[in-house]
């Protein structure tokens, strides 16, 4: 098994890279998806979030109100740390469970947005960083995700810098250009991952 950490700043296009890697044969463990699962209604994770942040982070139906929670944590490093202290151990435990269930010869790609911020690079055999300039990230967040520029900038500022991410990378995918320029790069990365997996 080859354990790969995949990361990139918000709006860099990491989801598209992970989609292509799955198409080529990777087993994907998506930390964002797991992070949503561990705070679904009725979970201990959601109960812990409400205990920390109050009932104002719930919708009328009792689900997590992500925009309300985001407004609380993304502008306050202390509140963000409190949220991470609840969610990250739950995500880590579930990711480890999914990894154990993968085939022995699999290339397992862990899609981890905060890999750099949380010092997780040593957990993986290698790290792939999806890279884009801050200008490209901002444009995508505003035009594709409908964020305000202020909200987009706040979320970008809460993450590692581009240089910090590049420093932990074994392989870099440049996603500053159009979508059609991405697939050949990801195909080359996949071929390298398969080669490394076979050499283990």
């Amino acid at each position: 098994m080859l354990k790969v950490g995949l990361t990139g700043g918000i709006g860099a296009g990491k989801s598209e890279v992970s989609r292509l890697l799955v198409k080529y044969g990777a087993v994907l463990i998506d930390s964002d998806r797991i992070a949503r699962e561990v705070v679904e209604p009725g979970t201990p994770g959601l109960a812990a979030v409400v205990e920390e942040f109050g009932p104002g982070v719930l919708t009328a139906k009792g689900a997590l109100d992500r925009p309300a929670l985001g407004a609380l944590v993304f502008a306050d490093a202390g509140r963000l740390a409190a949220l991470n202290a609840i969610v990250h151990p739950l995500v880590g435990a579930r990711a480890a469970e999914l990894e154990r269930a993968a085939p022995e010869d699999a290339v397992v790609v862990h899609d981890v947005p905060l890999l750099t911020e949380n010092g997780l690079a040593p957990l993986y055999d290698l790290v792939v960083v999806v890279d884009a300039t801050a200008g490209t990230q901002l444009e995508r967040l505003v035009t594709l995700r409908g964020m305000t520029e202020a909200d987009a900038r706040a979320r970008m500022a809460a993450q590692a810098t581009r240089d910090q991410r590049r420093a932990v990378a074994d392989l870099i995918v440049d996603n500053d250009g159009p979508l059609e320029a991405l697939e050949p790069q990801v195909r080359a990365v996949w071929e390298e991952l398969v080669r490394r997996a076979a050499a283990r």
Side-chain angles (χ1 to χ4, degrees), residues 7 52 80 104 108 141 146:
T7 195
E52 176 68 34
L80 183 58
E104 192 55 46
V108 178
L141 294 174

Side-chain angles (χ1 to χ4, degrees), residues 53-111:
F53 295 96
V57 297
L58 292 176
T59 65
K61 293 185 175 178
L64 186 61
D65 184 337
R66 292 180 184 282
L69 182 60
L72 287 177
V73 303
F74 284 113
D76 183 333
R79 302 299 273 155
L80 183 58
L83 177 63
N84 289 343
I86 295 166
V87 175
H88 289 172
L90 298 171
V91 172
R94 178 64 178 142
E97 192 181 312
L98 292 170
E99 185 182 275
R100 285 193 297 273
E104 192 55 46
D105 62 349
V107 173
V108 178
V109 174
H110 289 263
D111 182 333

Side-chain angles (χ1 to χ4, degrees), residues 5-9 14 110 112-116 127-130 165 168:
L6 175 69
T7 195
K14 186 170 46 59
H110 289 263
V112 186
L114 300 179
L115 182 149
T116 308
V127 172
V128 177
V129 169
V130 183
R165 276 190 294 273
V168 302

Side-chain angles (χ1 to χ4, degrees), residues 28-163:
L28 180 66
I29 299 177
D30 184 337
S31 292
D32 268 352
R33 185 175 302 154
I34 297 170
R36 288 190 291 274
E37 288 173 8
V38 300
V39 290
E40 283 178 353
T43 60
L46 183 59
V49 169
V50 173
E51 186 177 326
E52 176 68 34
F53 295 96
V57 297
L58 292 176
T59 65
K61 293 185 175 178
L64 186 61
D65 184 337
R66 292 180 184 282
L69 182 60
L72 287 177
V73 303
F74 284 113
D76 183 333
R79 302 299 273 155
L80 183 58
L83 177 63
N84 289 343
I86 295 166
V87 175
H88 289 172
L90 298 171
V91 172
R94 178 64 178 142
E97 192 181 312
L98 292 170
E99 185 182 275
R100 285 193 297 273
E104 192 55 46
D105 62 349
V107 173
V108 178
V109 174
H110 289 263
D111 182 333
V112 186
L114 300 179
L115 182 149
T116 308
E117 293 82 345
N118 294 323
L120 303 178
L123 299 180
Y124 306 104
D125 297 315
L126 77 161
V127 172
V128 177
V129 169
V130 183
D131 186 50
T133 63
T136 298
Q137 289 176 260
L138 185 63
E139 183 186 342
R140 287 175 181 160
L141 294 174
V142 172
T143 59
L144 301 178
R145 296 202 198 174
M147 288 185 186
T148 65
E149 187 171 326
D151 189 24
R153 286 186 186 280
R155 289 179 184 238
M156 288 166 63
Q159 294 188 337
T161 66
R162 186 180 181 198
D163 286 344

